[in-house]
Amino acid sequence: MALARRERVFAANAAPGRAANIRPNSHRKQRQPLVSTAYPHLLAPLDLGFTTLRNRVLMGSMHTGLEDRAKHFPRLAAYFAERARGGVGLIVTGGFSPNVAGWVSPFASKLSSAGAAREHRQITQAVHREGGKIALQILHSGRYGYHPFSVSASRIKSPITPFTPRALSARGVDKQIEAFVRCAALAREGGYDGVEVMGSEGYFINQFLVTHTNKRSDAWGGDYSNRMRLPVEIVSRIREKVGRDFIIVYRLSMLDLIPDGQSWEEVVTLAKAIEKAGASIINTGIGWHEARIPTIATSVPRAAFAWVTKKMKGEVGIPLCTTNRINAPEVAEQVLADGCADMVSMARPLLADAEFVNKAAAGRAQDINTCIACNQACLDHAFQLKTASCLVNPRACHETELSYAPAAVKKRIAVVGAGPAGLACSTVLAERGHAVDLFEAGAEIGGQFNMAKRIPGKEEFHETLRYFRNKIAGTGVRLHLNRRVTAEELIAAKYDEVVIATGVTPRTPSIKGQEEAVRSGKVLSYVDVLLRGAAVGKKVAVVGAGGIGFDVSEFLVQEAGHSPTLDLKAWEGEWGVTDPAQARGGVARGKPQVEPPARQVTLLQRKASKPGAGLGKTTGWIHRAALQMKKVEMLAGVNYEAIDERGLLISYGEKRDNPQLLEVDHIVLCAGQEPLRELEAPLLAAGLKPHRIGGADVAAELDAKRAINQGSRLAATL
Ligand code: FAD
Ligand code: NAP
Ligand code: SF4
């Protein structure tokens, strides 16, 4: 769906007067009340027989880093309580291992004793006080465990961990099942409403299901009925232990996305057996962690995998939950209205906005702070063993220490620059009661996000700008567009505080011949290309392989206006995703179907390291793979000798003594940035003490995560 159309659908759904009085498709229709809302399917209660969920939103499991130590549980409790207060139907915690062997990493979260279960009561009580329900995820990592005690079906190392697991004996398998059952019973003691058994993403249970990782010849290996015995035993023995009135969600890997994954027939057989074993809900799992197909990154189309869950509809009688890249209420509503599932799992969207559900219910969808699927503060942090948060919402997982409470003394404050830093700062200041003037030299808010949003695959960045436009209006920030404010004006206005959020200016690398080539139009900056619409020829050299160099290359290799992210079939063709009924694991055989590149691009850097090494921990490989598909040549260790009318002269590697000419139509400079803070000196000279945030403060390694975090945190203190 084209973004423009998506936005129209969004506007139409959110518009007053669209409120429907519809009895939604429901799991148990006889118990459903009428739901009056623009999102009747999403907000309909779900009756599980012994308990009712207040709507169809399941907050998917995310490891935040707060699970690992009980001393962090008060923070975890506050974080979950905000989401419960925000209206989520069922929260699922980050994964807790049932024993040491199942640890994700040494001393990571684990629930295996009564003492530990007691600690969990502070979490479950906080959620229940807010009228919410919460399930604990039981996650045994098997061969994905980053420690020497890992175990699996067979002794086969994973490509993403350095440790080789020990192959379990038959008795060992039974002990793991016992640990799952004990963990579920302890979760119940800890006050949880249920558990989610993690059976997907390539973790322990998944490792038994496919021959790729299960080479056993005993009762736990061989044919599929043996390989699937483990999850079925786990669910049936948990059900036996916990009784009928306890939610068991089973996260079932419906699409493994590894070459020799499960066939669709096997997946359906497992689903039926899991239902029979006593699960209450089947949640959808998409892709093993080692899969080379992106599943949740921002370039993945919205709701890209809902069709997989839809395929399962009718095969089982219990509710099905669908997942992945569902980040807006109108998308979730559509997925349910289309009959893809009975529930929708959203994880990161609830980090981004704890009030997602309440805002949708109140007809305020336009106020939702949308997850842009960047992974920068959530998944990347989890992989770096840092506490998770959210790029667009720095309060996520920091609820107890970052407060936007009303200011004791109300001030007049000027914020200069409406990039991410200035937007976050000004809106938090106004929310706290200050009188805020926000000055922006450009014709629209957003700063560099106005370039980011033009990159194919970064369409979600539009949402952050929509959010801030509404937030500015809602909090009463006085916005002055087209206003390059001067120091004299700021001094004359006698503000109590001045915040400099003027961002950055592109670095000019001063290559020999560059100035003349700029004049002739052969050399362009990324701003010329992305913001000023400069025409670019068919052969291009991109100088600088940082985040912007990669993005500019992605922009240049796509035909204008084309983005696979907005075209599911094209995206599936590029990444080789197919119907699992056609090919095991849903991985297409044969060559990927990639549109030829719109331009021949060479991406260059001076460092000898792998280009893109500094990109996001969990997304860098996707950017690299996307450019490789488009035949972008990436050269590292390059020395820029000169630019002339023919192109760029470079020397590198063994050719260092024999410079090479890259014959190109254009050279696009993406060589980093310098802070822009021309206002600071005159303000200081006038005796003011201006604050600096974002790129205006430090340009090196600047990203929107730092800009928004710094802006919000400064605003919380003034
Ligand atoms: P800026 O965004 O540069 O905003 C500064 C603003 O101040 C501008 O709007 C400017 O017009 C205004 N201004 C300057 N002087 C004055 C004045 N005197 N008076 C009034 N207004 C003034 N970051 C990520 O985290 N993830 C990404 O995926 C990502 N992708 C990107 C893709 C591209 C193509 C680009 C260019 C950047 C990307 N970034 C990304 C970087 C991110 O956008 C920046 O880190 C962020 O915008 C910095 O925010 P800022 O508010 O400090 O500065
Ligand atoms: P960057 O990541 O620092 O990259 C700058 C590039 O320019 C590097 O490849 C650097 O490599 C090169 N360079 C630096 N000085 C140079 C010089 N004097 N001459 C020639 N080349 C030079 O910065 P950026 O690409 O401008 O991005 C700005 C910020 O936006 C980054 O911090 C990034 O995190 C953020 N961003 C993030 C994303 C994302 O997807 N997460 C996307 C876009 C931008 P060499 O020095 O080796 O040549
Ligand atoms: Fe979404 Fe990015 Fe926030 Fe993670 S950091 S929740 S991906 S917006």
Side-chain angles (χ1 to χ4, degrees), residues 48 50 239 244 246-250 278-282 318-319:
L48 296 174
F50 58 91
R239 177 55 79 204
R244 300 304 315 166
F246 193 64
I247 300 168
I248 302 177
V249 182
Y250 181 81
S280 327
I281 294 170
I282 291 181
I318 53 176

Side-chain angles (χ1 to χ4, degrees), residues 315-337:
E315 301 285 3
V316 292
I318 53 176
L320 291 174
C321 184
T322 194
T323 180
N324 285 49
R325 284 293 281 119
I326 297 170
N327 65 343
E330 78 276 13
V331 179
E333 176 66 17
Q334 196 63 51
V335 157
L336 295 177

Side-chain angles (χ1 to χ4, degrees), residues 29 138 164 425 487 556 563 613 622 639 680:
K29 288 195 171 125
I138 312 179
T164 304
C425 186
L556 293 173
S563 170
I622 303 171
N639 194 31
E680 189 179 54

Side-chain angles (χ1 to χ4, degrees), residues 374 376 391 416-422 439-442 444 446-449 451-452 455 458 461 483-486 501-504 526 530 547-548 551-552 673 676 678-679 693-696 702-705 707:
C374 64
Q376 287 177 237
L391 178 142
V416 188
F439 297 98
E440 169 53 50
E444 55 183 339
Q448 292 175 62
F449 263 34
M451 290 182 267
I455 307 298
K458 286 200 167 173
F461 284 60
R483 189 76 191 280
R484 181 169 286 279
V485 73
T486 62
T502 45
V504 295
Y526 62 87
L530 297 176
I548 293 179
D551 275 359
V552 164
Q673 306 169 324
L676 177 64
E678 60 207 12
L679 293 173
I693 54 173
L702 168 72
D703 61 9
K705 180 179 75 171

